[in-house]
Amino acid sequence: MSKSIFRRKSVSKILADVASGFSDSEHPGSASQLEKALNVKDLTLMGIAAVVGAGIFSTIGEASFQGGPGVSILFVITAITCGFSALCYAEFASRIPVAGSAYTYAYASFGELIAWIIGWDLLMEYAIGNIAVAISWSEYFVNLLEGFKIHLPAWVTMDYFSAFTAHEKVQELTASGHLTDITDRMRIAASAWATAPGSGNIKFIANLPALAIVIVITYLVYIGIRETKKATNAMVYLKIAIVIAVIVIGFFYVTPANWHPFLPNGFGGVMKGVSGVFFAYIGFDAISTTAEECQNPQKDLPRGMIYSLVICTVLYILIALVLTGMVSYKDLRVGDPLAYVFAKVGLKNISYVISISAVIATASVLLIFQLGQPRIWMSMSRDGLLPKAFSRIHPKFHTPSFATIVTGFVVAIPALFLNLTEVTNLTSIGTLFAFVLVCGGVLLLPREAAVKGKFHLPYINSQFIVPALFIVGVFFFRSNIINLVSGEALHHKFPYFLFIILSATLAVLSFVKKLSLIPVLGLVSCFYLMAELEYESWIRFLAWLIIGLVIYFSYGYKHSVMGKGDNAKLER
């Protein structure tokens, strides 16, 4: 029995608990456990399903507008960063093939408090990301219905705040005579307010398509991993075929002059797209939550993550080059860049096909994230940090039933009423924080010899490489470092100060302790991308973590299985 908030759960204990059947709080030792139904092909397709979605159909446009054709460089940088993290995830997945992803890995390496923080962070990442994806799916779906001449009332396709704001803005512009400033989107939102049932400021305005897709996806995840796998595979094959077709057709309409200048806003402009580009990669880590449902997790899970990352990176780079080659990067600040560029060059039928693909792609992303989040709830519940109902496994469907239902409510209700304009940054910072802890956690694991049939992260001595990289970086970016202590709003530069301190610390530790190179590079590169995000995202992220700490110390710490000792399992 340990009272320390940094009490660790050993790898052997994690594996023993799962093997003995204590994964199910209601039926310990019974046959109602998660079903092993996934192979490397399924995992690769799930990774692609999670990654090729809202990012490639929406945020890539904003990133291209900021960085021009050079945004393809950012995709390479982000892919390398995610690659380091994927290798670290693969090392953990090989040693701890259980559900829980970074939460479980942190429990084994950093201890309970950090595990809670990362678990709470993952819940934010998946929930807010899914709310955004549901809202994005609703927009594409409504546009698709318009193509079939089916017109839904505007007040059932958006949130209350957007409609009210548009109503006020249209009145203001009309009164001032600036009618040309009223956009089509603003006009639609204002009509939602005008036609919605109710009176005064009390009106029923809600995004019903977003609610509907969350209900359908949640039901699919609830009834079983095999059904989820079949639906995912079908959607992935279809959208990959469409994306490849878009790339091939698009290259015939590329004007090479649009690629000059390649970096119109410099490297700084490219890095402004970090949030949008990284958001496009979020999801490959979600498949690590399915470890207990893999037939051979030590071998297949690492391969699935790495294969999906490589395939998606190639597709993203080609899409970025096609987009910026077909039209000027200045025209790409739109919500549906792929459909927009084809409509711009007169291929409206292709644009319509892309809209269909977007509906399928965003639905598959929602499916994978809805699959991952309940398994985080379940893992935290197993350890006593959340009520034991969250670790309940359905005796027939072999899924975390209660946690899946709660996840559905957590995503569906906000998707009805919220307008999440900052969701990309908030989701990205949460994911990067998870990557930082996973890379750091690998450094704390004891080195193991390679075992046949299991993935093993290759050890490369960083003793001289990391200090040398740090010195070179300081030399080339010395002017940027000096500028950190000058100018206004110095507190906005705090993330960069943290990055420099972390880099210097890791350079010293690498020299002294001969740390493994890959996790060190993963940790540094992920934290750098965190530092590139807006200061406001850091504030919101810290606020979310404070709420989580209040819940941990008021409930989780008192009910922790590790805190109660081994006898706690008998109480369950």
Side-chain angles (χ1 to χ4, degrees), residues 157-455:
T157 65
M158 67 182 61
D159 62 283
Y160 179 95
F161 181 75
S162 293
F164 175 75
T165 304
H167 167 72
E168 294 286 307
K169 190 67 176 177
V170 167
Q171 283 191 330
E172 177 187 326
L173 293 174
T174 302
S176 62
H178 294 85
L179 298 179
T180 56
D181 293 335
I182 300 176
T183 63
D184 291 339
R185 192 178 187 89
M186 198 183 299
R187 191 175 289 109
I188 293 172
S191 71
W193 179 267
T195 58
S199 61
N201 287 339
I202 303 175
K203 291 177 178 287
F204 178 81
I205 301 174
N207 197 334
L208 295 186
L211 173 68
I213 189 61
V214 173
I215 292 174
V216 171
I217 294 296
T218 301
Y219 172 74
L220 191 59
V221 172
Y222 182 87
I223 62 174
I225 189 68
R226 290 185 182 275
E227 289 72 16
T228 303
K229 177 183 75 172
K230 291 175 183 176
T232 300
N233 292 357
M235 287 190 283
V236 170
Y237 285 132
L238 180 58
K239 72 180 179 182
I240 286 181
I242 292 176
V243 167
I244 292 175
V246 165
I247 292 170
V248 173
I249 296 171
F251 265 117
F252 287 101
Y253 291 86
V254 164
T255 303
N258 287 329
W259 287 334
H260 302 286
F262 195 70
L263 298 173
N265 299 315
F267 189 71
V270 170
M271 295 310 295
K272 284 183 180 179
V274 163
S275 176
V277 168
F278 189 80
F279 184 78
Y281 276 101
I282 289 173
F284 79 87
D285 60 312
I287 63 175
S288 65
T289 65
T290 65
E292 286 178 44
E293 290 146 292
C294 298
Q295 296 170 359
N296 186 1
Q298 282 99 344
K299 185 178 181 181
D300 293 347
L301 203 54
R303 289 183 176 180
M305 282 190 282
I306 294 169
Y307 291 168
S308 61
L309 192 61
V310 171
I311 292 170
C312 292
T313 298
V314 173
L315 292 177
Y316 276 165
I317 292 173
L318 293 176
I319 282 288
L321 291 173
V322 167
L323 284 179
T324 54
M326 291 178 70
V327 301
S328 170
Y329 73 94
K330 298 176 183 178
D331 296 330
L332 287 173
R333 199 171 206 174
V334 293
D336 52 348
L338 267 67
Y340 170 80
V341 295
F342 279 94
K344 185 88 170 176
V345 297
L347 299 176
K348 292 190 177 180
N349 289 335
I350 299 295
S351 176
Y352 180 63
V353 171
I354 290 172
S355 295
I356 297 175
S357 177
V359 169
I360 297 170
T362 48
S364 67
V365 174
L366 191 63
L367 181 64
I368 298 304
F369 278 14
Q370 285 297 91
L371 177 72
Q373 189 179 351
R375 285 148 181 79
I376 303 295
W377 292 101
M378 178 185 72
S379 297
M380 297 173 75
S381 172
R382 288 176 180 176
D383 297 321
L385 304 184
L386 289 174
K388 59 184 180 181
F390 284 94
S391 56
R392 184 183 304 157
I393 305 297
H394 196 285
K396 177 182 179 181
F397 300 127
H398 303 285
T399 56
S401 52
F402 181 76
T404 301
I405 293 172
V406 171
T407 297
F409 278 105
V410 167
V411 175
I413 302 304
L416 271 174
F417 306 111
L418 290 186
N419 177 16
L420 300 176
T421 55
E422 299 296 330
V423 72
T424 302
N425 279 0
L426 195 55
T427 306
S428 294
I429 196 171
T431 306
L432 283 166
F433 183 67
F435 287 2
V436 165
L437 288 187
V438 168
C439 293
V442 168
L443 293 173
L444 298 179
L445 290 176
R447 293 179 194 166
E448 285 187 350
V451 178
K452 187 176 181 180
K454 291 177 63 175
F455 175 83

Side-chain angles (χ1 to χ4, degrees), residues 86-152:
L87 290 172
C88 292
Y89 266 97
E91 176 72 7
F92 266 121
S94 178
R95 296 200 197 191
I96 316 175
V98 300
S101 184
Y103 160 76
T104 303
Y105 307 155
Y107 215 146
S109 51
F110 290 107
E112 185 171 284
L113 179 63
I114 303 302
W116 167 267
I117 290 174
I118 197 63
W120 187 248
D121 165 63
L122 288 171
L123 293 179
M124 177 197 72
E125 172 197 337
Y126 288 158
I128 295 182
N130 264 358
I131 293 166
V133 172
I135 294 171
S136 175
W137 182 92
S138 175
E139 288 191 26
Y140 283 117
F141 182 69
V142 171
N143 290 337
L144 187 61
L145 291 181
E146 292 287 336
F148 286 107
K149 308 301 181 184
I150 300 173
H151 307 288
L152 295 178

Side-chain angles (χ1 to χ4, degrees), residues 51-70:
V51 175
V52 179
I56 201 169
F57 286 100
S58 58
T59 59
I60 192 174
E62 174 69 21
S64 298
F65 172 79
Q66 298 287 356

